[in-house]
């Protein structure tokens, strides 16, 4: 199968890892090989960024690791891959990658994590009549103009990280509609940038017309170009990989998360937990009013979605786990990281339902939902709190979900109903614990599948396989939702956790204290 190229490859550039995932194009639930490379953002000149050289170092390393995995599973019979059925690229959404006429990057990549765009986001939200979050690409562009940054007159193209990698591999300046919806608002009827809102922006700004700057918008299954000779060399410097491989539209991590959890139909949703944490809920109807806690984005097929995005996810939890890993080493009884996670998560189950009065704020970066521009991780307790390991770990897990819960409250007030929430991300690998607590936090059933830790790399591989599902290279005959139900998740094994009433009540008490204690978090930002 690999030798004949009846495969689909997904590459996702996440916050801490770049992953490559090869699947059976006819049965995308079947993962054939994987590869990954660790990387990390940098805080340079008070901005979160990644160097573009590191993008290509990481992409090549992840692909080389996947080829090594192929070599291992084939016993060396396949030492390289010369062709693939289709490829897809996914990455962190939003942010600011601006290029000049010659295709040169004008300023270092500004990621979704930056929260310096407040004036622009407020101005555009009023002008466009829809919430424009701080991390959206259009907010970054407008803020650069408001700040009179010298590069702005030279901007001739704007894209996301997935769009950038896709363009270098294929030569096409395009973007999947889900990723594009985090750059500028999308018209649900046309599945393209909202023409009326584009006109309003163009009347305000001095930059070239938006339609000349932004990538062309494509829905899932569309032809998004093919691997060029230059792209093949970028991806595989050994020269084994041949050009001409078709690509699906590049997508953001939110869209691939929806695909990876099969949640693209109304009344379904998913939570993705990594460096950031966000929930995507597919809408049955438009929301009654604008909310600063909610983004309106789309599925990869273009259907409307309410997104609750929090800049801070599981990084602070991982830092505390690292502390216990080191303690185990110092005690002379070292343990693998996964074992430490398992032991600490199991201990969290023994904690009080309200975490014993402890509070944990996981804010390493600013958190727009609660109005902070910078982060200060905190653990807070009162003299009568019960400081036990179980309560401490439960408060850490609750803290990962807390800001998300504040946004989900707004959706509940809008009358948005959920039949089931799907969850994916590394913290759900430890069976049952984070999943159970999330069910309590959302007061809704939470499902986790076998691909919970593969996440978006597998999701974009599935979208690449979907690109191949049409006859003779034509657009797929089945809608994306039907394809996922019939070809991907029909036999999927899901573990479903229903909310425990004690967890629901305990978490509600924790969240009330958490909301009240945000004053301490804001004071820490001001004082430290």
């Amino acid at each position: 199968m690999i030798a004949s190229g009846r495969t689909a490859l997904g590459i996702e550039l996440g916050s801490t890892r770049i992953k490559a995932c090869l699947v059976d194009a006819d049965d995308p639930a079947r993962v054939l090989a994987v590869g990954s490379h660790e990387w990390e953002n940098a805080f340079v000149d008070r901005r979160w960024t990644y160097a573009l050289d590191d993008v290509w170092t990481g992409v090549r390393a992840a692909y080389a690791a996947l080829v090594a995995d192929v070599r291992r599973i084939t016993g060396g019979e396949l030492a390289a891959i010369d062709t693939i059925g289709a490829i897809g690229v996914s990455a962190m959404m939003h942010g600011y990658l601006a290029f000049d006429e010659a295709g040169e990057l004008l300023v270092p990549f500004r990621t979704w994590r930056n929260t310096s765009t407040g004036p622009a986001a407020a101005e555009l939200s009023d002008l466009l009549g829809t919430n424009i979050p701080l991390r959206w690409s259009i907010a970054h562009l407008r803020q650069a103009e408001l700040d009179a940054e010298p590069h702005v007159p030279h901007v001739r193209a704007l894209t996301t990280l997935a769009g950038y990698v896709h363009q270098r591999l294929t030569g096409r300046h395009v973007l999947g509609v889900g990723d594009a919806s985090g750059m500028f608002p999308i018209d649900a009827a046309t599945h393209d940038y909202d023409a009326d809102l584009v006109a309003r922006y163009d009347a305000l700004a001095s930059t070239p017309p938006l339609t000349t700057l932004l990538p062309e918008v494509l829905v899932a299954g569309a032809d998004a170009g093919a691997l060029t000779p230059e792209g093949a060399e970028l991806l595989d410097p050994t020269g084994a990989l041949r050009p001409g491989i078709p690509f699906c539209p590049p997508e953001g991590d939110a869209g691939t998360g929806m695909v990876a959890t099969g949640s693209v139909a109304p009344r379904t949703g998913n939570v993705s937990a990594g460096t950031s944490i966000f929930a995507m809920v597919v809408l049955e109807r438009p929301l009654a009013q604008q909310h600063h806690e909610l983004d309106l984005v789309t599925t990869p097929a273009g259907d409307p979605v309410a997104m609750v995005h929090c800049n801070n996810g599981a990084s602070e939890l991982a830092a505390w786990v690292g502390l216990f890993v080191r303690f185990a080493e110092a005690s002379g009884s070292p343990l693998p990281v996964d074992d430490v996670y398992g032991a600490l998560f199991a201990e969290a189950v023994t904690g009080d339902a309200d975490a014993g009065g402890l509070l944990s704020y996981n804010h390493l970066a600013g958190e727009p939902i609660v109005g902070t521009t910078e982060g200060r991780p905190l653990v807070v307790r009162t003299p009568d709190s019960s400081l036990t390991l179980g309560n401490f770990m439960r408060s850490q897990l609750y803290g990962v979900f807390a800001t998300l819960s504040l946004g989900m409250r707004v959706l509940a007030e809008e009358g948005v109903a959920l039949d089931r929430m799907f969850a994916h991300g590394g913290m759900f690998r430890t069976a049952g614990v984070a999943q159970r607590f999330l069910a309590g936090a959302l007061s809704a059933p939470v499902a986790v599948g076998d691909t919970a830790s593969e996440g978006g790399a597998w999701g974009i591989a599935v979208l690449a396989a979907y690109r191949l599902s049409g006859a003779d290279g034509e657009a797929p005959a089945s809608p994306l939702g039907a394809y996922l139900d019939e070809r991907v998740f029909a036999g999927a094994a899901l573990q479903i956790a229903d909310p425990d009433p004690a967890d629901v009540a305990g978490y509600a008490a924790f969240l009330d204290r958490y909301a009240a204690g945000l004053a301490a978090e804001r004071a820490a930002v001001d004082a430290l």
Side-chain angles (χ1 to χ4, degrees), residues 175-505:
L175 210 56
V177 63
D179 206 4
S181 70
M183 297 192 76
F184 192 86
I186 295 292
D187 184 330
T190 65
H191 296 165
D192 202 350
Y193 305 114
D194 188 302
D196 175 58
L197 302 189
V198 166
R200 290 190 213 175
Y201 184 87
D202 285 343
L204 171 75
S206 62
T207 50
L210 270 184
T211 52
T212 68
L213 300 180
L214 297 175
E216 177 188 356
V217 180
L218 301 175
V219 297
D223 177 4
L227 186 66
T228 63
E230 297 79 10
E233 186 175 356
L234 264 177
L235 185 56
D236 182 13
T238 70
L241 189 64
R242 300 197 304 263
I245 299 167
F247 273 66
C248 70
E251 265 298 348
D253 51 358
T256 55
M258 284 186 276
V259 171
T261 53
S263 47
V264 298
R267 297 178 66 92
T268 66
N270 75 284
V271 169
S272 176
T275 301
S276 64
I277 184 170
F278 54 84
M280 311 289 290
V281 178
V282 187
L283 300 174
E284 296 179 281
R285 54 169 178 77
L287 298 179
Q289 55 184 304
Q290 179 179 329
H291 302 277
H292 83 272
E293 298 93 343
L294 306 177
D295 304 17
L296 292 180
V297 291
T298 78
T299 70
D303 297 318
V305 172
M307 181 181 191
V308 180
H309 184 283
C310 307
N311 282 353
N312 300 283
S315 295
E316 179 68 358
L317 171 66
W320 281 105
V321 171
L323 191 75
F324 287 104
V325 169
R326 176 58 192 143
F327 173 78
E329 292 171 348
S331 73
S333 303
L335 290 170
V337 173
D338 282 354
D339 288 359
V340 175
Y341 268 103
L344 291 173
F345 278 29
E347 190 69 14
V349 174
T350 72
D352 298 328
D354 67 346
L358 302 184
L359 289 176
S360 295
Y361 293 91
N362 63 337
H363 297 185
L364 286 159
E367 195 58 83
I369 286 180
V370 299
T372 57
T373 57
E374 294 184 9
R376 300 291 186 273
L378 295 177
V379 175
V380 182
R381 67 188 182 100
T382 58
D384 59 347
S385 300
S386 176
L387 180 58
T388 67
L389 182 59
N391 284 335
F392 176 78
M393 287 310 303
R394 187 176 281 236
S395 78
Q396 285 293 327
L397 284 159
Y398 279 1
V400 174
F401 303 136
T403 309
L404 183 79
S405 298
L406 297 176
M408 292 297 290
R409 278 182 173 179
V410 177
L411 273 180
E413 291 165 2
E414 276 270 1
V416 174
L418 271 174
D419 292 330
R420 188 163 67 195
M421 204 68 154
F422 294 79
H424 71 119
M427 68 183 295
F428 296 104
R429 282 190 314 221
T430 301
V433 181
Q435 178 187 7
R436 168 186 160 176
F437 291 163
L438 181 59
L442 300 179
S443 192
V446 172
V448 172
D450 293 338
T451 59
S453 61
E454 295 300 332
W458 180 68
I460 191 64
V462 171
L463 285 173
Y466 180 60
R467 167 76 183 87
L468 292 177
S469 65
D472 300 321
E474 297 297 320
S478 298
L480 179 61
Y483 175 83
L484 294 177
D485 288 343
E486 297 164 7
R487 297 276 297 275
V488 182
F489 290 98
L494 294 176
Q495 294 81 47
I496 300 171
D498 291 313
D500 182 300
D503 288 342
V504 173

Side-chain angles (χ1 to χ4, degrees), residues 29-45:
R30 182 183 178 199
V31 175
L32 302 174
V34 295
S36 67
H37 171 80
E38 293 188 0
W39 71 335
E40 189 56 75
N41 56 189
F43 194 53
V44 180
D45 296 328

Side-chain angles (χ1 to χ4, degrees), residues 9 11 56 59-68 71 79-84 87 169 227-243 245:
L9 171 65
I11 299 170
W56 294 109
V59 167
R60 284 191 289 267
Y63 180 78
L66 180 138
V67 173
R71 189 178 303 121
I81 300 174
D82 62 3
T83 190
I84 298 166
I87 301 175
L169 295 176
L227 186 66
T228 63
E230 297 79 10
E233 186 175 356
L234 264 177
L235 185 56
D236 182 13
T238 70
L241 189 64
R242 300 197 304 263
I245 299 167

